[in-house]
Amino acid sequence: MSLSWILRITRNGSHWFVSHRPSSYGLLLSNNSHSSTRKVFNCRETYSWTVPSFHVFKHQIHHQSSSLVEEQLDPFSLVADELSLLANRLRSMVIAEVPKLASAAEYFFKMGVQGKRFRPTVLLLMATALNVRILETETGSEGDALTTELRKRQQSIAEITEMIHVASLLHDDVLDDADTRRGIGSLNLVMGNKVAVLAGDFLLSRACVALASLKNTEVVTLLATAVEHLVNGETMQMTSTSEQRCSMEYYMQKTYYKTASLISNSCKAIALLAGQTTEVAMLAFEYGKNLGLAYQLIDDVLDFTGTSASLGKGSLSDIRHGIVTAPILFAMEEFPQLCSVIDRGFDKPENIDAALEYLGKSRGIQRTRELAAKHANLAAAAIDSLPETDDEEVRKSRRALVDLTQRVITRNK
């Protein structure tokens, strides 16, 4: 990691490489080289958080080549060719015998509608960032063949993740009775709820077939767990009690399930396919988890403050659906009486207006941005904890992954 990257992160106010403190709300990282088991947001699953000592960072700073000049990288352009191939394969993978089902399944895989493919981009960059062992130890045609085969398997993870993600969007739109998605009419609006649900189910089945073809039990378990978490998160959102809606811990657990679990488990799957150690696999997991949480926290902010064409000026989508997010929860810490407003529900405009008034007087938006930045920096720290390498392509991909953490918290759509 170049010194300029350190300085950029430091300017954001997070001196994590000098003095690291565990983050709040159950998001814990070990600051030593020993393994420790923590509950993730107090749920039944446990993970072993293993992060190399942060003293390593200072060692790397002083021993990294001073001739390395940080480039301005566009993470998406680094994998643009692969993203194009991936988009073509995704469209071919969702072909169905029933024409209407095929048309529904490919609805969000059409050119120009698929968005920037954020998750596949992260996973393809992670693949390059972690394929050090293959790149350094294999030579000749045999090594080239191994590298090519590994890349195909990791590309498959990116495809599977995107199918699971889109399936979850289709199901969410039905549950939320949404009218639009990615700037166009939602599938449930265009073709009806039943077809939308079946299209989501179809995508999940295709993802399962592709996942089984990898013949890696641990990877299958990771992605199956992510699907389970998506269902758990949506159920938590639909069935929360008044007390749970006012709980930041409950909210963060739900956010991990709904947003961060898929990308974190997929990043870990990329590492496992590369034959990386448990420690490196957990760093990949940490990157995906914290990036996903930062992404959703900024989404929460933009729901109130968004000014892009795609968002409108404060769409207020969440609060209109009765969903309490981080800015309101932080505002409630300053104004406890806001909880009674939440209890009354947001069916009436005056209750929404009251909640917005409290939010405007609070630091809810600012504190949510600060929490997002904290998770973004934890994601960057995970990348900077990876074993050193002299391979420039690997280092470039790692810089791009760090760059993504800052793009996530500065985006406006």
Side-chain angles (χ1 to χ4, degrees), residues 361-394:
K361 293 187 294 185
S362 74
R363 295 182 63 251
I365 295 294
Q366 182 180 344
R367 290 181 67 189
T368 302
R369 287 191 180 278
E370 289 170 356
L371 183 58
K374 185 175 186 178
H375 285 295
N377 285 336
L378 286 172
I383 296 302
D384 290 323
S385 296
L386 293 171
E388 291 188 57
T389 176
D390 292 329
D391 187 282
E392 185 54 33
E393 288 303 307
V394 173

Side-chain angles (χ1 to χ4, degrees), residues 162-209:
E162 189 69 355
M163 283 192 285
I164 293 173
H165 172 61
V166 172
S168 73
L169 297 183
L170 297 180
H171 288 163
D172 282 357
D173 284 349
V174 172
L175 293 171
D176 298 338
D177 197 24
D179 294 330
T180 60
R181 170 67 69 178
R182 292 176 177 171
I184 65 172
S186 61
L187 184 61
N188 52 297
L189 178 70
V190 175
M191 295 189 178
N193 285 342
K194 293 181 181 179
V195 171
V197 170
L198 291 172
D201 292 344
F202 177 72
L203 289 176
L204 286 175
S205 69
R206 284 297 167 94
C208 288
V209 171

Side-chain angles (χ1 to χ4, degrees), residues 78-94:
L78 288 181
V79 292
D81 291 341
E82 279 187 282
L83 286 176
S84 179
L85 291 173
L86 184 145
N88 291 334
R89 280 203 295 268
L90 280 171
R91 285 190 290 273
S92 67
M93 291 171 72
V94 299

